[in-house]
Amino acid sequence: MAAIDGLPPLREVIASHGLSAKKSLGQNFLLDLNLTARIARAAGDLSGMDVLEVGPGPGGLTRGLLAEGARRVLAVEKDSRCLPALAEIAAAYPGRLEVISGDALEVDALAHLRPPIAICANLPYNVGTELLVRWLTPRDWPPVWSTLTLMFQREVAERIVAQPGSKAYGRLALLVQWRCEARIVLSLPPEAFTPPPKVSSAVVHLKALPEPRFPADAAVLERLVAAAFNQRRKMLRAALKGLAPDIEARLEAAGIAPTERAEQVSLEQFCRLARELAR
Ligand code: SAM
């Protein structure tokens, strides 16, 4: 069946450009254009937005983003074998798709875009968390991007939206939820990809809040949360003793029992403790 954009089906694109998947680049492709359109729609209304996509591969999601009306898509792809296929998409959407051939960890792609900016990607699993952490820790808040719509392994998606008391709760949940609204919007079984990965995946949608939910210094909060979850089974007075000699008193001042474990402490409590530590 012909696709709505008049371009060939993705199986044909892959065959004609010899895009056999490389494991080293985390290549698990989405070949169902209905599915890539759903992911693009999960990013919200894209009309009037610049979109950054990392790892377009043969371009399934890229086509979804363009068909859903993105003003402009900038796609960063490390595998130069994909460039001819992406050039065909650029030709079908004149002036709306630009491709940077390179490593997303090394290119400052956001500097090429004009707000409002959405970031949407089926991320290579080996660099996904690192990119997320970079997007979440810009020098100033709010960041230049408005939303992140990202595919992760299910286990990582669960760590992003985790609540206190659960095993998945930790640094990533706190880093995200301090300054973003986060939810899982789509779950996908391994068979949705070619080749299928070993685990299930999920798409997470993050919206940047205009300001943090609770006041705290970003560097102090990061250091505190890292120390707390580094030894997550220890009581906080032991896990955090390197941060301040009078840590018990500061925990109490923040309304946290010194015998509590990191897993049970809410975002609001961590922020209160970060303020106590910054005094
Ligand atoms: N977006 C395509 C899709 O949904 O079918 C492909 C997704 S595949 C999971 C990840 C893509 O990221 C691959 O095309 C891979 O070549 C690319 N990639 C891997 N590491 C990268 C990096 N450091 N910078 C940019 N692209 C990268």
Side-chain angles (χ1 to χ4, degrees):
M1 196 178 71
I4 51 159
D5 50 19
L7 290 160
L10 287 158
R11 268 184 211 290
E12 249 172 59
V13 173
I14 285 182
S16 62
H17 293 284
L19 300 178
S20 51
K22 283 192 189 167
K23 215 173 163 185
S24 60
L25 286 170
Q27 292 184 336
N28 301 100
F29 300 133
L30 289 168
L31 302 188
D32 178 349
L33 289 165
N34 292 315
L35 193 54
T36 59
R38 270 176 75 194
I39 297 169
R41 278 198 291 277
D45 182 5
L46 295 177
S47 54
M49 291 192 99
D50 276 7
V51 180
L52 170 63
E53 184 190 2
V54 172
L61 180 56
T62 321
R63 286 163 65 171
L65 294 166
L66 289 161
E68 286 304 315
R71 174 172 65 193
R72 188 170 153 232
V73 175
L74 175 63
V76 184
E77 176 55 64
K78 193 171 174 181
D79 185 353
S80 57
R81 296 179 311 158
C82 300
L83 299 179
L86 296 167
E88 287 173 9
I89 305 173
Y93 289 94
R96 291 176 57 204
L97 172 62
E98 195 187 319
V99 180
I100 296 182
S101 175
D103 185 333
L105 291 172
E106 281 163 21
V107 192
D108 183 11
L110 283 172
H112 296 256
L113 298 176
R114 193 159 50 91
I117 298 170
I119 300 180
C120 187
N122 173 13
L123 288 173
Y125 71 92
N126 45 351
V127 292
T129 319
E130 161 124 30
L131 283 169
L132 173 64
V133 170
R134 286 191 193 185
W135 289 324
L136 289 169
T137 51
R139 208 153 25 122
D140 301 309
W141 198 270
V144 290
W145 53 266
S146 310
T147 60
L148 305 176
T149 307
L150 305 171
M151 176 92 69
F152 287 102
Q153 297 172 39
R154 176 91 209 173
E155 173 261 326
V156 177
E158 276 167 7
R159 284 201 275 131
I160 290 172
V161 302
Q163 295 299 312
S166 70
K167 241 166 106 185
Y169 184 62
R171 284 174 79 175
L172 202 52
L174 287 154
L175 179 63
V176 169
Q177 295 170 31
W178 182 41
R179 298 195 286 199
C180 297
E181 243 172 59
R183 61 202 166 87
I184 292 180
V185 288
L186 203 61
S187 295
L188 294 178
E191 313 79 75
F193 301 84
T194 305
K198 289 205 172 68
V199 294
S200 296
S201 301
V203 177
V204 184
H205 183 71
L206 275 70
K207 193 167 163 215
L209 295 169
E211 51 189 71
R213 280 181 210 278
F214 309 103
D217 177 85
V220 176
L221 183 63
E222 168 57 23
R223 235 184 354 254
L224 162 62
V225 168
F229 284 95
N230 214 2
Q231 307 184 61
R232 59 190 293 144
R233 257 173 241 129
K234 281 199 176 165
M235 292 178 191
L236 284 173
R237 68 171 171 224
L240 301 180
K241 69 172 187 285
L243 294 185
D246 57 346
I247 192 66
E248 283 215 37
R250 293 189 196 231
L251 279 161
E252 269 159 10
I256 306 169
T259 52
E260 196 63 278
R261 287 170 175 81
E263 208 172 278
Q264 304 296 335
V265 177
S266 70
L267 170 64
E268 185 173 9
Q269 287 175 309
F270 271 119
C271 290
R272 222 182 294 142
L273 181 56
R275 294 199 297 277
E276 283 299 327
L277 287 168
R279 262 179 218 277

